[in-house]
Amino acid sequence: MKRPNRVAVIGVGIIGACVGWNLTRRGAKVVFIDAGQPGEGVTNWSFSWVNASNKTVRKSYFDLNVAGLATYRELAAAIGPGSWWHPSGHLRWADDPAAEAKDLKNSELLAAWDYRVEVCTGAEVRSRFEPALTMPGEVPVWFYPDEAWVHGRHLVGRLVGQAVASGAELYSGIAVRDIGTGADGRIRTVALADGSRLDVDTVVNAAGPHASQVAGLIARHLPMRREPGAVTRLDCARVPVHRAMHAPHIEIRPDGDASVVLHSREIDALIGTGQDPAELGRLLRESARRVVPELGSARVTETRVSNRPIPADGFPSVGALPSVPGYYEAVSHSGITLGPVIGRLLAAEILSGKRDEMLADFRPERFSL
Ligand SMILES: Cc1cc2nc3c(=O)[nH]c(=O)nc-3n(C[C@H](O)[C@H](O)[C@H](O)COP(=O)(O)OP(=O)(O)OC[C@H]3O[C@@H](n4cnc5c(N)ncnc54)[C@H](O)[C@@H]3O)c2cc1C
């Protein structure tokens, strides 16, 4: 298989940044193109929890997420840790017997799959990890020590900065409007919103929630779900939590030195029922206050509703599309967890033509049948 001459990475969120960084590192010529600014799409409005404990629906998907965690550790060694990387583990507890039984069953399955999990009590969590939490002293809490959270926008900035320093090109604030193919069906060009055209022989569709529109440029139908989520940032003079956690009715994590991020599936269910994002933000803060009282006085800085980039069957779509030589897809929910491993595997496939077994269940052509 011939090495590509020039690869256009369409979309520079966490997934495009990871693919482009890996390609550049291996000597490929990369041009990053983003309709907005790198890292400011859903990557910046994510709960950003790096995990496999929530991925037990299918063993191959769990294994891919476990590889995602391992690839983060390799990435941190390669580019250096910093404001983007927070390997502080994850806490989960419930306030009703049915949810608690579900958490217990999941933790037993995970332990059987050799995934590290510790069970503590609420009192131990407060004394060992998180003194600002209110929770019953005897409540069981599952602690997943190998999990993490990531500052997605900072990571994208770091990866794109390194790639550009190594020769990659970056077009930001300009959308791809067309993808041109030759008479042989191979990728030849991408056309940008300003009317310019770039010669490329490979494209990577990493357009996140807009991936089906980009797929449409080569007349491909990529079916995607519509599952919006609301994320809120709070301004805090002192950040009272130290790690990502799923508390009853609310997910909380730090977001740097002066900010906290909140999300809740229960609040997501209210999207489209007439409440504006500011109201959703206030509801999230109210839920967080019950777990971390001092968050009750924190100011909501912004709430954003974003679509999750989820292919229709819920699983990633990653790899070549054999019917259009030179076209590759890299579209996934849990893209924060999976970005680095998708980047590593897809870059290897683009450069060698070899298809990694780890992606066997997540191939784009399953939607072409
Ligand atoms: C509420 C919520 C909570 C989440 N929580 C988690 C979590 O805890 N853990 C986890 O792993 N994942 C989580 N996710 C999912 C995760 O955030 C996404 O899977 C991931 O950020 C996707 O990254 P991306 O690079 O594909 O998309 P994006 O970050 O959106 O990047 C795509 C880029 O493509 C650009 N683009 C679009 N169209 C074009 C075009 N025509 N031309 C050029 N550029 C274009 C956009 O400007 C954008 O910058 C969550 C998502 C949501 C919404």
Side-chain angles (χ1 to χ4, degrees):
M1 131 133 201
K2 194 171 140 304
R3 259 176 95 89
N5 285 325
R6 194 186 191 200
V7 184
V9 176
I10 304 173
V12 196
I14 193 160
I15 294 192
C18 288
V19 176
W21 179 82
N22 275 281
L23 283 167
T24 307
R25 209 167 172 233
R26 299 181 58 159
K29 231 170 139 185
V30 169
V31 47
F32 291 104
I33 308 163
D34 199 286
Q37 295 303 313
E40 294 196 356
V42 64
T43 292
N44 195 36
W45 293 98
S46 173
F47 187 60
S48 261
W49 164 41
V50 175
N51 79 95
S53 61
N54 208 27
K55 314 292 172 56
T56 49
V57 57
R58 188 193 275 184
K59 184 63 166 56
S60 58
Y61 187 53
F62 171 77
D63 290 343
L64 184 66
N65 280 272
V66 169
L69 268 66
T71 311
Y72 261 109
R73 287 178 164 79
E74 291 162 19
L75 187 63
I79 67 173
S83 63
W84 66 273
W85 175 232
H86 303 272
S88 39
H90 173 258
L91 297 168
R92 178 187 284 277
W93 71 103
D95 66 354
D96 74 89
E100 209 171 277
K102 200 170 150 214
D103 290 346
L104 173 63
K105 201 167 160 221
N106 198 48
S107 72
E108 287 171 349
L109 175 64
L110 288 161
W113 286 352
D114 292 328
Y115 195 73
R116 286 212 301 156
V117 50
E118 295 169 21
V119 190
C120 331
T121 63
E124 283 165 349
V125 166
R126 278 205 310 268
S127 65
R128 269 174 72 190
F129 304 121
E130 298 284 359
L133 300 187
T134 55
M135 65 216 299
E138 68 287 356
V139 72
V141 182
W142 285 272
F143 176 54
Y144 292 96
D146 296 329
E147 297 186 347
W149 71 270
V150 159
H151 197 298
R153 186 164 49 81
H154 289 180
L155 174 56
V156 169
R158 178 82 74 102
L159 293 172
V160 173
Q162 285 199 0
V164 168
S166 303
E169 300 165 81
L170 171 63
Y171 290 76
S172 53
I174 189 155
V176 169
R177 288 275 185 263
D178 198 13
I179 300 175
T181 50
D184 56 0
R186 291 182 169 276
I187 300 292
R188 290 278 187 275
T189 55
V190 288
L192 306 187
D194 64 357
S196 61
R197 207 169 271 278
L198 306 175
D199 292 328
V200 297
D201 54 7
T202 304
V203 296
V204 177
N205 178 355
H210 295 96
S212 58
Q213 284 99 303
V214 170
L217 301 178
I218 55 149
R220 162 165 168 75
H221 177 56
L222 169 61
M224 288 177 67
R225 290 186 189 169
R226 196 179 150 68
E227 252 182 60
V231 161
T232 273
R233 284 196 160 85
L234 302 181
D235 229 0
C236 306
R238 185 190 85 91
V239 174
V241 291
H242 306 288
R243 56 189 42 75
M245 59 191 75
H246 275 61
H249 316 292
I250 187 76
E251 298 160 27
I252 309 173
R253 70 161 169 86
D255 189 47
D257 295 336
S259 180
V260 162
V261 158
L262 306 177
H263 171 253
S264 162
R265 286 271 176 182
E266 292 168 35
I267 302 294
D268 288 352
L270 301 176
I271 295 169
T273 61
Q275 263 128 337
D276 64 15
E279 179 56 18
L280 299 175
R282 283 191 287 274
L283 292 170
L284 284 163
R285 183 181 57 187
E286 181 52 25
S287 293
R289 185 188 61 76
R290 294 194 196 106
V291 182
V292 187
E294 69 184 89
L295 290 179
S297 57
R299 190 172 65 88
V300 174
T301 45
E302 194 175 351
T303 303
R304 187 79 71 88
V305 173
S306 315
N307 280 316
R308 296 175 168 86
I310 315 186
D313 60 5
F315 293 105
S317 181
V318 181
L321 188 69
S323 55
V324 184
Y327 172 87
Y328 295 81
E329 227 150 57
V331 184
S332 183
H333 184 48
S334 278
I336 299 288
T337 303
L338 294 175
V341 69
I342 287 175
R344 178 169 63 73
L345 296 175
L346 188 58
E349 178 174 331
I350 291 170
L351 297 177
S352 71
K354 293 200 188 97
R355 293 155 67 102
D356 197 294
E357 198 43 39
M358 190 163 273
L359 293 175
D361 282 352
F362 312 113
R363 290 269 154 206
E365 60 261 38
R366 72 186 187 276
F367 296 117
S368 312
L369 304 174

